[in-house]
Amino acid sequence: MLVLAVLAFTAILGLGLLTIGETLASNLNKISAALSGHSLRSEPVLVTRPVTVRVTTRRVSQPVSARPPLRVAA
């Protein structure tokens, strides 16, 4: 029983190390760029200029002053 537990643990550990190794190998350029400070997110992609927005308020509708008659309950 102990042999099966050791075998299962070794298989899971090996699979985890393989997954981490494949991830590091495929993204090594991105990781090294991020660690050296040249990440895509650290540099601005879009250059914008400041914009001034002017807001004016005006009354769109008048409040209703009419009162409908109340109905009598049957």
Side-chain angles (χ1 to χ4, degrees):
M1 189 72 165
L2 184 63
V3 174
L4 289 176
V6 170
L7 183 65
F9 175 76
T10 306
I12 291 173
L13 182 66
L15 184 63
L17 289 175
L18 182 69
T19 305
I20 291 171
E22 288 291 325
T23 303
L24 288 175
S26 64
N27 295 325
L28 190 60
N29 293 335
K30 293 178 185 178
I31 293 170
S32 62
L35 290 175
S36 66
H38 299 293
S39 176
L40 291 175
R41 293 186 182 244
S42 67
E43 298 175 3
V45 177
L46 195 63
V47 178
T48 59
R49 61 186 180 128
V51 176
T52 304
V53 178
R54 189 174 56 169
V55 178
T56 58
T57 59
R58 59 185 177 141
R59 179 171 273 168
V60 177
S61 63
Q62 299 289 334
V64 178
S65 61
R67 294 185 178 167
L70 298 175
R71 291 186 184 182
V72 178

